[in-house]
Amino acid sequence: MKAARLHNYGEPLQLDEVDLPKPKGDSVVIRVGAAGICHSDIHFMHGEWQKTIPVKLPVTIGHETAGYVEEVGESVRGLAKGDVVAVFGGWGCGVCQFCKGGDEQLCNSPIWPGLSQSDGGYAEYMYIPSYRFLVKAPGLDPKYVAPLTDAGLTPYRAVKRIRHMLNPNSFTLLFGVGGLGSYAIQYLKLLSPTNVITVERSENKIKLAKDMGSDYVINSKNEDVVSSINKITGNHGVDVVLDIVASKDTLDVGIACLKKRGTLVLIGLMGNSFNMPIVESIINEYSVIGSLWGNYNELTEVISLARANKLKTIINPFKLNDVGKAIESLEAGKIQGRAILIP
Amino acid sequence: MKAARLHNYGEPLQLDEVDLPKPKGDSVVIRVGAAGICHSDIHFMHGEWQKTIPVKLPVTIGHETAGYVEEVGESVRGLAKGDVVAVFGGWGCGVCQFCKGGDEQLCNSPIWPGLSQSDGGYAEYMYIPSYRFLVKAPGLDPKYVAPLTDAGLTPYRAVKRIRHMLNPNSFTLLFGVGGLGSYAIQYLKLLSPTNVITVERSENKIKLAKDMGSDYVINSKNEDVVSSINKITGNHGVDVVLDIVASKDTLDVGIACLKKRGTLVLIGLMGNSFNMPIVESIINEYSVIGSLWGNYNELTEVISLARANKLKTIINPFKLNDVGKAIESLEAGKIQGRAILIP
Amino acid sequence: MKAARLHNYGEPLQLDEVDLPKPKGDSVVIRVGAAGICHSDIHFMHGEWQKTIPVKLPVTIGHETAGYVEEVGESVRGLAKGDVVAVFGGWGCGVCQFCKGGDEQLCNSPIWPGLSQSDGGYAEYMYIPSYRFLVKAPGLDPKYVAPLTDAGLTPYRAVKRIRHMLNPNSFTLLFGVGGLGSYAIQYLKLLSPTNVITVERSENKIKLAKDMGSDYVINSKNEDVVSSINKITGNHGVDVVLDIVASKDTLDVGIACLKKRGTLVLIGLMGNSFNMPIVESIINEYSVIGSLWGNYNELTEVISLARANKLKTIINPFKLNDVGKAIESLEAGKIQGRAILIP
Amino acid sequence: MKAARLHNYGEPLQLDEVDLPKPKGDSVVIRVGAAGICHSDIHFMHGEWQKTIPVKLPVTIGHETAGYVEEVGESVRGLAKGDVVAVFGGWGCGVCQFCKGGDEQLCNSPIWPGLSQSDGGYAEYMYIPSYRFLVKAPGLDPKYVAPLTDAGLTPYRAVKRIRHMLNPNSFTLLFGVGGLGSYAIQYLKLLSPTNVITVERSENKIKLAKDMGSDYVINSKNEDVVSSINKITGNHGVDVVLDIVASKDTLDVGIACLKKRGTLVLIGLMGNSFNMPIVESIINEYSVIGSLWGNYNELTEVISLARANKLKTIINPFKLNDVGKAIESLEAGKIQGRAILIP
């Protein structure tokens, strides 16, 4: 079968013909329906993480995959050939405190296919070591499922972690309306009556934020964000900041917009560090929390929303053969919604 | 009656003879049994907060007060002359979201007696605008109650906020064993089976940490804290850091010691800001939270512990007339436990 | 001023001419805009609670009141003549554990105006002992605010208590679409993506349930509720039961419909007791919880929803002079939505 | 190897010579060090559950097992021959909502070895289908580990579920100081500063309750429980009831002892159902919750306590050959602490 593999960091992927193991025991082979292209893939391919996550190349890229069950091992239960499935990408050890607590994506020694020593979804087929990493998505088209496994899942977990704060008189400030942000707005409105304020710079994204349901949009090109927030909230500030950019700049502004007892959620990975003010954080009991990806049950909940037709997903499809062009487009900032590869 | 009042920022307090209003309605006058001297008092007297909290001087200092009910207004219920009471110092407006939610110390427009435009407890008597700011402490000596209202209360709230994380196989790292830290160790042991690790530099305080029940003590003069933590925790790190110092140094070390999903609690007010690393905080889902003082119910719980004889409080008593000497001793770092004034 | 007062249990109310105290200190007099009529009022008037809550008659009925500030005591802050206000009816002592924790309606020694030794809102004016029991409702008509203080508040608290369970793949079963139930459906949809299933018997109420947004309605006249639930949920059962009827019948059915780890919330007051099965409750980790009215902050959140025009309230207005006719209509089951009195 | 197997419901176990599969893949064979005998085993052997859990006999009894790793499959990680291990008995499917949420004991289709169609620990060796059901217990003797897997685990989960309510001024009422109750007292004291009140009838158990740390013991032979509770709590009632008996009698008394907002935890399985009062439960916001066994992480926490030498376990050892005598003794009520079988 064909697979887009990385042979050397910094070089383009090669479309190789490779063999796939036959599934035994718990394992499954799926026919890839679609594989999302994520900025993380680009960081990985450029070798930015080679020290943190040493990998013996070549490896097939792709951690956002959905498709059809092709063949199952003899111990697999509940899956049949042709079933539409999403691949949950946090392949945990299954025995550490985090796996046993339901957060396999936080495993002490995780495998993330396509981002570590395990082949991902930029391929015609993909080998899944256990059916326990698959979520059924009956009735859905894999093209609209693949983006849910990361772009759709990450903001969902973030929103759930602060959902108890999202009361009718609350305000939530969101930085960034790209692949993740458009889901974040939708989840905020689906899971709560909070008032959503989005910060963006481009006209396209400002329109997108409004279409997704943002109650207010601040154009940070023309407006001072802190002043606008004070105006909107009657000088109280916002209960929650979801920072999907998480650059030093957005974080400084985000902290300055928080209400007493407010929480800032770090989601994006743009910056290195930011200055958390000590006295203000104590006097106002601020919280700053990091949120990583999502867990298996959270993915099933996201897929429930999609199956109930409550979630809008914007895709930008490329053929697997055009993987190079797809990556170039993403790097050039030319992608609206999520770029996906279709074998 | 006599009261130690601040007439000008930066000058010594003056022992003045002043009048006290007669209590009406909900208000109460107490005879002060003891008033704790806190580093915050010194910051206030030096004028460090005059911009943040503008106050028309003179004002009587002291926000850690306990004593005896002297006279009550006609609407006061449940209190009689001679009752031992602690003064809860977060005099909230009673109507904002935080007051109505039970956290009057976080009120949108609070009065903190002795630290704002309201007279505190460095005096023979103190006027309390509502009996709803008093907690009964029957059977206790006000000398041992006064320190509980701040030094004893602040770490109690901090410990309660992360108590759900304090399981038998958890580790809690504590920076600072001064007035607040000795209580923190006690609460950690009373409320949980966590393993407590304390960091200190002086022999006195290292001994105190052990006496209070710390399972491990790291002498940061001789040891590298991160290496010691790795040794103790088998390279997992600690579940919780309670930073009662909260200087830039302790915070950088604290973050570096956190386990996956760990929480750092800011309590002390030494530093200005610290660098929170973004990628590590997301990958490991760290939380950094500020914790301020405590609420009324938390104070009743602290007093329950004292009444059950489960709490050790070390006091260093001075006469009210010697308030100058007492403050000098505190500034010179000569106080063991809590300095208190006795009228 | 005119007030509808109860002179003897079991007898009709009398429209008396009475005097009102002038507000002093914290107290406020409001001009009543509307007073809701609740089944609890009828229980009270019939003397059903005279042993539990002994009251010296006469007393003015009415615990669901909204109106306009008429006159304020000298210590009142933040209110001016003419302001639209809702009366929060759980007048707590302000000092017990529950009041200090933010749940004044659960006070150890509460006053509930109109239902205890304190005059309620079936009158032209009403005396409120503290402005801390008023919630501002600017821009709203008191006619649509009065029902929010109980009929609108009670299901709001109930929904908030189980909100963390209301995920996209969850089911919530609701018994009863009367005054409270129509709000319950709205809150479930506003605060969560849960799938709402309502059980009713009359065509009117089945239509109302659908109008309010219920995803499924079971007509318990024709259908076996447990079988229908099994069909809808794929034999898993429902995550939450909100029982606004809470008769022995609905509770037996409710328990039988619960999913593993499900929660049944008792809200209505129709029955005396029900049989909770022990082995099933343990094996499935069921929870049964009682929920009472709501607290002050919850009322502000409900009013936020009304101000944002997100809440439908159906009223059935009567003149204060026609209070007897209004009560008869309610007892005869002829009221759609909430009956209110307008002075 | 030898195994004590049930061939027909109601008949004594037979000591059979049986073969054991060789471990492959994830599976492990352990040499049994000790197997606890539980009342559930007796219910099962008497056929009381044959309708609920249909099993094809013969089957080896025993769901409380600890021992030494004997042989491991080729995919097993982190275990070596001779390691002391506890067997976690809730063998979940690994893919349902409850397994993925970390509560495998609540799996939608669980296997409980020794209590369902899978052989348990009354044997010389035991086959474990996945190393993910084993918890390492280095340094401990299996004789003291086996009882922890159920008798020690069940009250631990129950205590953790209500731990947030266990403040210094709280009271916890415990019914029953048998195999589970003596652990419950220890956990309450280790995890919280609550005041523990135990109800028992026999002198032996009253002494045991005191030895384990119960602050008060009520002898229900001589005392009226409700009156005693009122005396101890100043008529407030208890915050929590842990009912390890859970008969109709203890539950009626338990409910009557609850404080406002109190929680009753059902743990024991003696009764069929009890009358939950509706109005009182609403007015006081009572909660009644069932608690089942414990999850894997909870078992690791219990074992941490044992390893830190903080947990007292009383055992009553029998040889595997004497299994009949051991069961007779348990049925006759002659066992102090936990009866265990040693192969």
Side-chain angles (χ1 to χ4, degrees):
Chain A
M1 67 145 193
K2 238 185 315 188
R5 300 202 301 171
L6 180 72
H7 286 257
N8 293 293
Y9 288 116
E11 291 181 6
L13 301 183
Q14 293 181 24
L15 276 168
D16 299 330
E17 195 61 33
V18 295
D19 288 334
L20 201 67
K22 211 182 153 55
K24 281 193 316 183
D26 286 352
S27 64
V28 178
V29 164
I30 66 163
R31 176 162 62 85
V32 175
I37 306 181
C38 179
H39 278 284
S40 307
D41 296 336
I42 293 173
H43 292 297
F44 181 80
M45 290 185 267
H46 286 192
E48 292 172 23
W49 299 345
Q50 58 183 297
K51 278 183 191 156
T52 330
I53 315 168
V55 176
K56 208 179 139 242
L57 300 178
V59 80
T60 307
I61 303 301
H63 61 278
E64 246 191 15
T65 318
Y68 306 91
V69 171
E70 177 71 18
E71 197 178 354
V72 301
E74 70 279 4
S75 321
V76 172
R77 286 190 284 175
L79 288 179
K81 183 165 178 168
D83 283 352
V84 178
V85 286
V87 180
F88 174 73
W91 296 356
C93 71
V95 80
C96 76
Q97 168 187 3
F98 302 102
C99 285
K100 283 293 187 184
D103 281 322
E104 291 164 284
Q105 80 284 7
L106 287 163
C107 174
N108 273 330
S109 49
I111 293 169
W112 294 359
L115 286 176
S116 64
Q117 196 66 68
S118 202
D119 288 323
Y122 288 16
E124 290 177 308
Y125 294 89
M126 184 176 170
Y127 175 87
I128 318 290
S130 169
Y131 68 101
R132 295 188 180 91
F133 300 132
L134 295 174
V135 177
K136 288 211 253 186
L140 294 179
D141 180 334
K143 282 198 289 293
Y144 291 93
V145 176
L148 300 180
T149 63
D150 180 0
L153 179 56
T154 300
Y156 185 76
R157 176 178 181 83
V159 169
K160 281 201 70 176
R161 289 188 62 197
I162 45 76
R163 179 187 181 190
H164 60 284
M165 305 174 70
L166 303 180
N167 294 324
N169 42 17
S170 68
F171 290 91
T172 302
L173 174 59
L174 176 74
F175 286 99
V177 196
L180 282 72
S182 62
Y183 288 112
I185 298 172
Q186 295 182 73
Y187 298 140
L188 289 167
K189 301 311 278 184
L190 284 165
L191 273 71
S192 90
T194 197
N195 301 287
V196 179
I197 310 169
T198 310
V199 176
E200 259 302 344
R201 315 184 124 257
S202 80
E203 286 311 316
N204 272 353
K205 293 198 166 168
I206 285 171
K207 189 184 172 310
L208 181 60
K210 284 177 187 162
D211 289 350
M212 290 299 175
S214 188
D215 300 284
Y216 306 84
V217 185
I218 297 173
N219 185 336
S220 58
K221 254 195 203 151
N222 319 327
E223 299 175 60
D224 176 64
V225 177
V226 177
S227 314
S228 299
I229 290 294
N230 281 337
K231 217 174 300 165
I232 294 169
T233 65
N235 291 313
H236 280 293
V238 300
D239 301 74
V240 173
V241 174
L242 294 180
D243 197 338
I244 294 182
V245 179
S247 70
K248 212 186 154 315
D249 283 358
T250 58
L251 288 164
D252 285 348
V253 174
I255 281 274
C257 290
L258 278 182
K259 181 179 166 183
K260 213 171 264 219
R261 302 220 83 196
T263 294
L264 186 152
V265 189
L266 300 169
I267 307 167
L269 292 160
M270 297 285 277
N272 288 317
S273 70
F274 81 105
N275 274 323
M276 183 159 173
I278 295 173
V279 176
E280 286 85 341
S281 295
I282 292 173
I283 295 283
N284 297 301
E285 289 205 338
Y286 292 151
S287 297
V288 176
I289 67 174
S291 190
L292 180 72
W293 213 343
N295 64 31
Y296 185 95
N297 278 344
E298 287 160 352
L299 181 55
T300 64
E301 294 171 20
V302 167
I303 287 175
S304 282
L305 287 175
R307 292 186 61 203
N309 212 15
K310 291 181 179 168
L311 215 51
K312 286 173 223 155
T313 288
I314 301 162
I315 56 171
N316 207 324
F318 291 83
K319 290 196 181 142
L320 177 55
N321 286 342
D322 296 332
V323 59
K325 208 173 80 184
I327 290 171
E328 266 172 46
S329 302
L330 182 62
E331 288 195 280
K334 288 186 195 151
I335 300 291
Q336 272 283 82
R338 199 69 166 176
I340 55 169
L341 294 173
I342 299 180
Chain B
M1 68 143 195
K2 238 183 315 186
R5 301 201 301 172
L6 181 73
H7 286 257
N8 293 294
Y9 290 116
E11 292 181 6
L13 300 183
Q14 293 181 26
L15 276 169
D16 298 332
E17 195 62 32
V18 296
D19 288 332
L20 201 67
K22 210 180 154 58
K24 282 194 312 184
D26 285 353
S27 64
V28 178
V29 164
I30 67 163
R31 177 162 62 83
V32 174
I37 307 181
C38 179
H39 278 284
S40 308
D41 296 336
I42 294 174
H43 291 298
F44 181 79
M45 290 186 265
H46 285 191
E48 292 173 24
W49 298 344
Q50 55 182 301
K51 277 182 193 158
T52 330
I53 316 169
V55 176
K56 206 178 138 240
L57 301 178
V59 81
T60 307
I61 304 299
H63 61 279
E64 247 191 14
T65 318
Y68 306 92
V69 171
E70 178 69 18
E71 198 178 351
V72 301
E74 70 281 1
S75 320
V76 172
R77 285 187 287 175
L79 287 179
K81 183 165 180 169
D83 284 351
V84 178
V85 287
V87 180
F88 175 72
W91 295 356
C93 70
V95 79
C96 76
Q97 168 186 6
F98 303 102
C99 285
K100 284 292 186 185
D103 281 322
E104 292 164 284
Q105 79 284 4
L106 287 164
C107 174
N108 272 332
S109 50
I111 294 169
W112 295 358
L115 286 176
S116 64
Q117 196 66 66
S118 202
D119 289 323
Y122 288 16
E124 289 177 307
Y125 294 89
M126 183 176 173
Y127 175 87
I128 317 291
S130 169
Y131 68 100
R132 295 188 180 90
F133 300 133
L134 294 174
V135 178
K136 287 211 254 186
L140 293 179
D141 181 334
K143 283 199 286 294
Y144 291 94
V145 176
L148 300 180
T149 63
D150 180 0
L153 180 55
T154 300
Y156 185 76
R157 177 178 180 82
V159 168
K160 281 202 69 177
R161 290 188 61 197
I162 44 76
R163 179 187 182 191
H164 60 284
M165 304 175 71
L166 303 180
N167 294 324
N169 43 17
S170 68
F171 290 92
T172 303
L173 174 60
L174 176 73
F175 286 99
V177 196
L180 281 72
S182 63
Y183 287 111
I185 299 173
Q186 295 182 73
Y187 297 139
L188 289 167
K189 301 311 278 185
L190 284 164
L191 271 73
S192 89
T194 196
N195 302 286
V196 179
I197 311 170
T198 311
V199 175
E200 260 301 344
R201 312 186 126 255
S202 81
E203 286 310 316
N204 273 353
K205 292 198 166 169
I206 286 172
K207 190 183 170 309
L208 181 60
K210 284 178 186 161
D211 289 351
M212 290 299 173
S214 187
D215 299 284
Y216 306 83
V217 184
I218 297 173
N219 185 334
S220 58
K221 253 196 203 149
N222 318 326
E223 298 175 61
D224 176 65
V225 176
V226 178
S227 313
S228 300
I229 289 296
N230 281 336
K231 219 175 297 164
I232 294 169
T233 65
N235 291 315
H236 280 293
V238 300
D239 301 73
V240 173
V241 174
L242 294 180
D243 197 337
I244 294 181
V245 178
S247 70
K248 213 187 152 314
D249 283 358
T250 58
L251 287 164
D252 285 348
V253 175
I255 280 276
C257 290
L258 278 183
K259 182 180 165 181
K260 210 171 265 220
R261 302 219 83 197
T263 294
L264 187 152
V265 189
L266 299 169
I267 306 167
L269 294 161
M270 298 283 278
N272 289 318
S273 70
F274 81 105
N275 275 322
M276 185 158 173
I278 296 173
V279 176
E280 286 86 340
S281 295
I282 292 173
I283 295 283
N284 298 300
E285 290 204 339
Y286 292 151
S287 298
V288 176
I289 65 175
S291 190
L292 180 72
W293 211 344
N295 65 30
Y296 185 95
N297 277 344
E298 287 159 353
L299 181 55
T300 65
E301 294 172 21
V302 166
I303 287 175
S304 281
L305 287 174
R307 291 186 61 203
N309 212 15
K310 290 180 179 168
L311 214 50
K312 287 174 222 154
T313 288
I314 301 163
I315 55 170
N316 207 323
F318 291 84
K319 290 195 181 142
L320 177 56
N321 286 341
D322 296 334
V323 59
K325 210 172 80 185
I327 290 172
E328 266 173 46
S329 301
L330 182 63
E331 288 195 279
K334 287 185 193 150
I335 300 292
Q336 271 285 85
R338 199 68 166 177
I340 55 169
L341 294 173
I342 299 181
Chain C
M1 69 146 193
K2 236 183 317 184
R5 301 202 299 173
L6 180 71
H7 286 259
N8 293 293
Y9 289 117
E11 292 180 5
L13 301 183
Q14 294 180 25
L15 275 169
D16 299 330
E17 194 61 33
V18 296
D19 288 333
L20 200 67
K22 210 180 153 57
K24 281 194 312 184
D26 286 353
S27 64
V28 179
V29 163
I30 66 164
R31 177 162 61 86
V32 174
I37 306 181
C38 179
H39 278 285
S40 307
D41 296 336
I42 294 173
H43 292 297
F44 181 78
M45 291 186 265
H46 285 191
E48 293 173 23
W49 299 344
Q50 58 182 298
K51 277 182 191 158
T52 329
I53 315 169
V55 176
K56 207 180 138 238
L57 301 179
V59 80
T60 307
I61 303 300
H63 61 279
E64 245 189 16
T65 318
Y68 306 91
V69 171
E70 176 70 18
E71 196 177 355
V72 301
E74 70 280 3
S75 320
V76 172
R77 286 189 286 176
L79 288 180
K81 182 163 180 171
D83 283 352
V84 178
V85 286
V87 180
F88 174 72
W91 296 357
C93 70
V95 80
C96 75
Q97 168 186 4
F98 301 102
C99 284
K100 283 293 186 184
D103 281 321
E104 292 164 284
Q105 80 284 6
L106 286 164
C107 174
N108 272 330
S109 49
I111 293 170
W112 293 0
L115 286 176
S116 64
Q117 196 66 68
S118 202
D119 288 324
Y122 288 16
E124 288 177 309
Y125 294 89
M126 182 175 171
Y127 176 85
I128 318 289
S130 169
Y131 67 101
R132 296 188 180 90
F133 299 132
L134 294 174
V135 178
K136 287 212 254 185
L140 292 180
D141 181 335
K143 283 198 288 292
Y144 292 93
V145 177
L148 300 180
T149 62
D150 181 359
L153 180 55
T154 300
Y156 185 76
R157 177 178 181 82
V159 168
K160 282 201 71 176
R161 290 188 63 196
I162 45 75
R163 180 186 180 190
H164 59 284
M165 305 174 71
L166 303 180
N167 294 324
N169 43 16
S170 67
F171 291 91
T172 302
L173 174 59
L174 176 74
F175 286 99
V177 196
L180 282 73
S182 63
Y183 288 111
I185 298 172
Q186 294 181 72
Y187 297 139
L188 289 167
K189 300 312 278 184
L190 284 165
L191 272 72
S192 88
T194 197
N195 301 287
V196 179
I197 311 169
T198 310
V199 175
E200 260 302 344
R201 314 184 126 255
S202 81
E203 286 311 317
N204 272 352
K205 293 197 166 170
I206 285 171
K207 188 183 172 311
L208 180 60
K210 284 177 188 163
D211 288 350
M212 291 299 174
S214 187
D215 299 283
Y216 306 84
V217 185
I218 297 174
N219 185 336
S220 58
K221 252 195 205 151
N222 319 326
E223 298 176 61
D224 176 64
V225 177
V226 177
S227 313
S228 299
I229 289 296
N230 281 336
K231 219 174 298 165
I232 295 170
T233 66
N235 291 314
H236 279 293
V238 299
D239 301 74
V240 173
V241 174
L242 294 180
D243 196 338
I244 294 182
V245 178
S247 69
K248 212 186 155 315
D249 282 358
T250 59
L251 288 163
D252 285 348
V253 174
I255 281 276
C257 289
L258 278 182
K259 183 179 165 182
K260 214 172 263 217
R261 300 220 84 196
T263 293
L264 186 152
V265 189
L266 300 169
I267 306 167
L269 292 160
M270 297 284 278
N272 289 317
S273 71
F274 80 104
N275 274 323
M276 183 159 174
I278 296 174
V279 175
E280 285 85 342
S281 295
I282 293 174
I283 294 283
N284 297 301
E285 289 204 340
Y286 292 151
S287 298
V288 176
I289 66 174
S291 191
L292 180 71
W293 211 343
N295 65 30
Y296 184 95
N297 278 345
E298 287 159 353
L299 180 55
T300 65
E301 294 171 21
V302 166
I303 286 175
S304 282
L305 288 175
R307 291 186 61 203
N309 212 16
K310 291 180 179 169
L311 215 50
K312 286 174 222 154
T313 288
I314 301 162
I315 55 170
N316 207 323
F318 291 82
K319 291 195 180 143
L320 177 56
N321 286 342
D322 296 333
V323 57
K325 208 173 80 185
I327 291 172
E328 265 172 47
S329 301
L330 182 62
E331 287 195 281
K334 287 185 194 151
I335 301 291
Q336 271 284 82
R338 198 67 166 178
I340 55 168
L341 293 174
I342 299 180
Chain D
M1 66 142 195
K2 238 183 319 187
R5 302 203 298 172
L6 180 72
H7 285 258
N8 293 293
Y9 289 116
E11 291 181 7
L13 301 183
Q14 293 181 24
L15 276 169
D16 299 330
E17 195 62 33
V18 295
D19 287 333
L20 202 66
K22 211 180 154 55
K24 283 193 311 184
D26 286 352
S27 64
V28 178
V29 163
I30 67 163
R31 176 162 62 84
V32 175
I37 307 181
C38 180
H39 278 285
S40 308
D41 296 336
I42 294 174
H43 292 298
F44 181 79
M45 290 185 267
H46 285 191
E48 292 172 23
W49 299 344
Q50 57 182 300
K51 277 183 193 158
T52 329
I53 315 168
V55 176
K56 207 179 138 239
L57 302 179
V59 79
T60 306
I61 303 300
H63 62 278
E64 245 190 16
T65 319
Y68 306 91
V69 170
E70 177 69 18
E71 198 177 352
V72 301
E74 70 281 1
S75 320
V76 172
R77 286 189 285 176
L79 287 179
K81 183 165 180 170
D83 284 352
V84 178
V85 286
V87 180
F88 174 73
W91 295 356
C93 71
V95 79
C96 75
Q97 169 186 3
F98 302 102
C99 285
K100 284 293 187 184
D103 281 322
E104 292 163 285
Q105 80 283 3
L106 287 164
C107 174
N108 272 332
S109 50
I111 293 170
W112 293 0
L115 286 176
S116 63
Q117 196 68 66
S118 200
D119 288 323
Y122 289 15
E124 288 177 310
Y125 294 88
M126 183 175 170
Y127 175 87
I128 318 290
S130 169
Y131 68 100
R132 294 188 181 92
F133 299 133
L134 295 174
V135 178
K136 288 212 254 185
L140 293 179
D141 181 334
K143 283 198 288 291
Y144 291 94
V145 176
L148 300 180
T149 62
D150 180 0
L153 179 55
T154 301
Y156 184 76
R157 177 179 181 82
V159 168
K160 282 202 70 177
R161 290 188 61 197
I162 44 76
R163 181 188 180 188
H164 60 284
M165 305 175 70
L166 303 181
N167 294 324
N169 43 17
S170 68
F171 291 91
T172 303
L173 174 59
L174 177 74
F175 286 99
V177 196
L180 281 72
S182 62
Y183 287 112
I185 298 172
Q186 295 182 73
Y187 298 139
L188 288 168
K189 301 311 278 184
L190 284 164
L191 271 73
S192 89
T194 196
N195 302 287
V196 179
I197 310 170
T198 311
V199 175
E200 261 300 345
R201 314 185 125 255
S202 81
E203 286 311 315
N204 272 353
K205 292 198 165 167
I206 285 172
K207 189 182 171 312
L208 180 61
K210 285 178 187 162
D211 289 351
M212 290 300 174
S214 187
D215 299 284
Y216 305 84
V217 185
I218 296 173
N219 184 334
S220 57
K221 252 196 203 152
N222 318 326
E223 297 176 61
D224 176 65
V225 176
V226 177
S227 312
S228 300
I229 289 296
N230 281 337
K231 219 175 296 165
I232 294 170
T233 66
N235 291 314
H236 279 293
V238 300
D239 301 74
V240 173
V241 174
L242 294 180
D243 197 337
I244 294 182
V245 178
S247 70
K248 211 186 155 314
D249 283 358
T250 59
L251 287 164
D252 285 348
V253 174
I255 281 275
C257 290
L258 277 182
K259 182 180 164 180
K260 213 171 263 219
R261 302 219 84 195
T263 294
L264 186 152
V265 190
L266 300 169
I267 307 168
L269 293 161
M270 296 286 276
N272 288 318
S273 72
F274 81 104
N275 274 321
M276 184 157 173
I278 295 173
V279 176
E280 286 86 340
S281 295
I282 292 173
I283 294 283
N284 298 299
E285 290 204 340
Y286 291 151
S287 298
V288 175
I289 66 174
S291 190
L292 181 71
W293 210 343
N295 65 29
Y296 185 95
N297 277 345
E298 287 160 351
L299 180 55
T300 64
E301 294 172 20
V302 166
I303 286 174
S304 282
L305 287 175
R307 291 186 62 203
N309 212 15
K310 289 179 180 170
L311 214 50
K312 287 174 222 153
T313 288
I314 301 162
I315 55 170
N316 206 324
F318 291 82
K319 290 194 181 145
L320 177 56
N321 286 342
D322 296 333
V323 58
K325 209 173 78 185
I327 290 172
E328 267 173 44
S329 301
L330 182 62
E331 289 195 278
K334 287 185 193 153
I335 300 292
Q336 273 284 82
R338 199 69 166 177
I340 55 168
L341 293 174
I342 299 179

